[in-house]
Amino acid sequence: MAERPDDERPSPSQQPAQSGEPASRTASSGRRTAGLGLALGALGVVYGDIGTSPLYALKTVFTLDRGLVPTAPDVFGVISLVFWSIILIVSVKYVIFILRADNEGEGGVMALAALAGRVLLKGSERRAAAVLALGALGAALFYGDSVITPAISVLSAVEGLEVISPAWTAAVLPVSAVILTLLFAIQRWGTGRVGSVFGPIMLLWFASLGVAGASEVIRHPGVLAGLSPTYAVMFFVDHPVIAFIAMGAVVLAITGAEALYADMGHFGRAPIRRAWFLIVFPALTLNYLGQGALILRAPASRESPFFLLLPDWAQLPMVVLATVATVIASQSVISGAFSVSREAMRLGFLPRLSIRQTSRHQYGQIYAPGVNWALFVAVLVVVFAFGSSTNLAAAYGVAVTGTFLITTSLFLVVARVLWHWSVWRLVLFGVVFGSLELTFFTANLAKVTHGGWLTLLIALVLFTILLTWRRGAKLVTARRIEREGPLRDFIDGLHAANTPRVAGTAVFPHPNKDTTPLALRANVAHNHIRHEKIVIVTGSTANVPHIPWDQRLTIDDLGDPNDGIIHISAVFGFQDPTDFPEVLRRAVPHPIDEGINCEQVSYFVSRITLRCTRSPGMAIWRKRLFIALAHNAASHAEFLHLPEDLTIVLSAEVPV
């Protein structure tokens, strides 16, 4: 999680007051300014996805295979469906309820699963595991969203060139590919350098949305009738089949709602709520109303109602602004994929990934090269395979609605077990939101043969990988424990053999203090010596984002304070860097660690060579997949931040 900007501000008592101005007034003004700054930042990062939905949402609804006749009842019905979907799913469910379910300030489906799993762990380990698996499924669906969002967003913006002149049609795909290539290429520099301009650009974008929509609404105020929920009900009564199919496209208006929750740790719930109710929601409502009024006035405009809302002179500038806005929307979902990958890795669902910090102050700003380029290839394939945002819209929605349902399910667990909600409140929440989201989901399943299979395929592949790694890691751990043997017996053997000591400190990263590090066994067996100081360091990840250093370390002399062998246990939050040298530096002031020079230690790492066998526990094909994933995992030494010139790697074979 990125450190919140207000964490770095001085407290009100530390802020100097202007001459003649009360300190309390200055402090209050400073808090308001900081709050507005956070709201502007949330505008630039959180709302990029949902903020660009007007580019393609209504266009997709009115260009379905079983298209709607743009009569007043049908247009009002669609506008009502869009408006009340935004009200219920975004404003009520996410902004009012889901944002309350933070995991130590963090949000997102994986953080919610970790929170739900933690509260269930006290009653049933099996239920907690099932909840974490549900979170993994949500993460898999999010990866599908991460592939589709950049593709459909950039395509829909660049397709504005076709509105200006049909001669530009052939340039849409190449221009989109160039923009996406540049977008993924600059990821290595991080969002910090350009993040400060995201907010103002998105503020301009939402202002443009509101003005464009308001100008049409002023000319045709009758479209305001579409805000009544009765039109949505009558639309279903009059055209139940068409309305059900249309729901699969209406959901495009609320894609990105999950970003409200996923990015909560970066800004806090209050700035996100302020930005939504003061800027985003009014702008989106006006724009959708304006597009509806335009379609009523000129039915042919349904092919591109967003850009045709604008006068001719404003269309090209809007194409440029829309392209920038979609790049920002894509940036947020790509960064989200990096964060989800790191969280999945910390919770044991992915192997070690190469993660680079792109900011010294914002821990949430990271770059995962493998994830970045895998997404890039997938996005380009999708762009050229589907060719247009209209075709791609059929593939969009399944992943988002699946994530909605999973979030609702996990929220109900937290509300019941942690907040002790009554049964009637749980039933009411589940019926209102669950039934609506289930309708969205089933409506999108109807599009599986037209492209919806893509997100399901991506989710299935990723879900298989996540569960396979978690299961394989447990099997390898069991086999490894058999080879390691009890640590107490090994230490007793060192004492009995009176093994010679050599000067220096040897540090052995190891999963526990019950068994012997394989590297320690190998070092003693081959060299017939042991170091003066032996430090075994165990790192574990808790289901919370952060753990303070004063609560993180536990030091144990393993029963003998004089033999120079100690164990350090470090518990990390799933957003904390796993930095073992820093663990050693933090532990040295402890009396047990006296005599250790942190700059002159040797780190011994066990490299495990996996061998596939026919032993029970997992199918052969899953074992081979697990071994392939392990071969492509990031370096253990790099993951633990071990200095390369002080690290020695020793190999050992473990059957799977």
Side-chain angles (χ1 to χ4, degrees):
M1 183 191 79
E3 295 178 4
R4 298 179 189 173
D6 55 337
D7 289 341
E8 298 177 2
R9 292 185 295 110
S11 65
S13 62
Q14 295 172 313
Q15 294 175 347
Q18 297 293 328
S19 177
E21 185 178 354
S24 60
R25 185 182 303 174
T26 303
S28 177
S29 175
R31 285 193 294 269
R32 285 197 299 270
T33 301
L36 291 175
L38 284 173
L40 187 63
L43 197 66
V45 175
V46 175
Y47 294 109
D49 194 355
I50 196 171
T52 53
S53 294
L55 284 165
Y56 47 79
L58 286 191
K59 169 186 173 181
T60 303
V61 175
F62 284 99
T63 55
L64 292 170
D65 292 340
R66 302 181 65 170
L68 300 170
V69 178
T71 60
D74 287 355
V75 172
F76 288 171
V78 170
I79 294 298
S80 183
L81 280 177
V82 169
F83 177 74
W84 285 100
S85 295
I86 294 174
I87 285 285
L88 291 174
I89 300 300
V90 185
S91 297
V92 179
K93 177 191 164 182
Y94 273 95
V95 176
I96 294 178
F97 284 104
I98 299 296
L99 286 182
R100 293 176 55 202
D102 67 292
N103 189 352
E104 299 292 329
E106 284 290 334
V109 66
M110 287 296 289
L112 183 60
L115 176 62
R118 189 169 74 249
V119 297
L120 281 177
L121 190 60
K122 300 174 183 177
S124 171
E125 187 173 343
R126 180 173 298 180
R127 290 181 183 178
V131 163
L132 283 177
L134 190 61
L137 178 58
L141 290 169
F142 184 83
Y143 283 117
D145 188 20
S146 300
V147 172
I148 303 298
T149 295
I152 193 173
S153 298
V154 173
L155 272 175
S156 61
V158 179
E159 283 169 354
L161 294 173
E162 298 176 334
V163 177
I164 299 172
S165 172
W168 287 98
T169 300
V172 170
L173 285 181
V175 171
S176 298
V178 170
I179 291 173
L180 288 167
T181 301
L182 293 174
L183 172 63
F184 282 94
I186 64 173
Q187 293 302 310
R188 63 191 299 265
W189 302 109
T191 58
R193 298 183 183 181
V194 294
S196 59
V197 302
F198 280 7
I201 290 175
M202 291 307 294
L203 182 61
L204 175 62
W205 169 254
F206 285 115
S208 302
L209 291 186
V211 170
S215 62
E216 190 69 29
V217 172
I218 291 171
R219 286 195 290 268
H220 303 280
V223 74
L224 292 171
L227 299 181
S228 170
T230 57
Y231 280 100
V233 175
M234 293 306 300
F235 184 54
F236 264 95
V237 172
D238 295 338
H239 312 289
V241 176
I242 293 179
F244 178 76
I245 295 173
M247 288 290 280
V250 169
V251 74
L252 298 176
I254 56 176
T255 57
E258 67 280 4
L260 297 172
Y261 185 40
D263 289 322
M264 179 171 60
H266 295 278
F267 302 99
R269 64 172 64 92
I272 290 176
R273 285 172 173 165
R274 279 195 291 267
W276 171 254
F277 286 115
L278 295 178
I279 300 173
V280 181
F281 178 55
L284 292 177
T285 301
L286 284 172
N287 196 264
Y288 284 125
L289 285 170
Q291 289 189 45
L294 176 63
I295 292 172
L296 270 178
R297 177 171 61 84
S301 65
R302 59 183 173 174
E303 295 293 330
S304 187
F306 178 83
F307 287 105
L308 291 175
L309 267 179
L310 303 162
D312 293 342
W313 62 267
Q315 288 177 356
L316 183 58
M318 182 56 87
V319 169
V320 175
L321 180 59
T323 302
V324 175
T326 56
V327 168
I328 293 174
S330 302
Q331 173 66 57
S332 64
V333 79
I334 294 169
S335 299
F338 296 162
S339 297
V340 167
S341 298
R342 180 170 63 182
E343 292 173 12
M345 178 180 65
R346 297 305 176 94
L347 292 173
F349 286 99
L350 280 178
R352 292 184 301 274
L353 300 174
S354 176
I355 301 290
R356 301 178 190 171
Q357 291 292 143
T358 58
S359 170
R360 294 181 179 179
H361 306 290
Q362 304 288 331
Y363 184 69
Q365 293 182 15
I366 60 173
Y367 172 58
V371 176
N372 183 67
W373 295 114
L375 279 179
F376 172 66
V377 171
V379 169
L380 276 193
V381 169
V382 165
V383 165
F384 284 100
F386 284 81
S388 72
S389 62
T390 301
N391 294 337
L392 196 53
Y396 209 19
V398 178
V400 174
T401 53
T403 305
F404 286 168
L405 283 169
I406 290 172
T407 301
T408 297
S409 302
L410 294 173
F411 177 82
L412 289 174
V413 172
V414 172
R416 178 57 178 169
V417 180
L418 188 61
W419 299 342
H420 308 293
W421 273 21
S422 60
V423 174
W424 72 266
R425 293 182 70 184
L426 295 171
V427 171
L428 180 63
F429 190 95
V431 169
V432 172
F433 300 108
S435 59
L436 179 58
E437 291 166 351
L438 187 61
T439 302
F440 280 132
F441 183 71
T442 52
N444 276 277
L445 287 181
K447 303 186 299 183
V448 167
T449 56
H450 299 283
W453 57 267
L454 178 63
T455 48
L456 290 179
L457 178 62
I458 294 172
L460 177 62
V461 171
L462 268 298
F463 187 57
T464 301
I465 289 174
L466 294 174
L467 291 191
T468 296
W469 180 261
R470 187 173 177 86
R471 177 58 181 163
K474 288 184 177 180
L475 290 177
V476 169
T477 298
R479 307 282 194 274
R480 180 172 176 166
I481 288 174
E482 293 176 3
R483 296 200 54 185
E484 291 170 342
L487 178 59
R488 186 69 262 169
D489 292 349
F490 179 78
I491 294 176
D492 290 342
L494 291 179
H495 294 163
N498 197 22
T499 305
R501 296 190 184 191
V502 295
T505 300
V507 179
F508 296 87
H510 191 60
N512 58 71
K513 66 176 180 179
D514 299 318
T515 61
T516 310
L518 291 177
L520 176 56
R521 279 192 178 278
N523 187 43
V524 173
H526 289 285
N527 298 317
H528 306 292
I529 54 92
R530 51 151 293 190
H531 287 76
E532 187 70 25
K533 294 281 188 179
I534 294 177
V535 182
I536 300 171
V537 184
T538 296
S540 61
T541 303
N543 289 344
V544 294
H546 300 287
I547 295 179
W549 277 106
D550 59 358
Q551 302 173 23
R552 188 177 299 183
L553 303 183
T554 302
I555 303 176
D556 185 359
D557 61 14
L558 300 175
D560 187 346
N562 300 314
D563 65 359
I565 303 176
I566 65 171
H567 177 268
I568 300 174
S569 177
V571 183
F572 300 90
F574 58 75
Q575 290 279 9
D576 293 323
T578 312
D579 190 334
F580 273 25
E582 183 63 21
V583 167
L584 199 61
R585 283 190 287 270
R586 297 274 183 168
V588 160
H590 194 282
I592 297 177
D593 294 326
E594 186 178 352
I596 294 179
N597 184 343
C598 294
E599 305 304 323
Q600 296 180 358
V601 300
S602 297
Y603 296 90
F604 290 81
V605 178
S606 302
R607 175 185 294 164
I608 304 300
T609 301
L610 301 175
R611 177 169 53 87
C612 186
T613 69
R614 295 191 175 275
S615 59
M618 197 162 58
I620 291 294
W621 68 269
R622 292 185 69 191
K623 290 183 178 181
R624 289 173 178 165
L625 173 60
F626 173 77
I627 292 173
L629 291 171
H631 285 165
N632 289 280
S635 163
H636 193 196
E638 181 180 347
F639 173 69
L640 300 178
H641 296 75
L642 306 184
E644 185 176 346
D645 56 335
L646 299 177
T647 302
I648 299 151
V649 180
L650 300 175
S651 297
E653 184 179 82
V654 174
V656 181

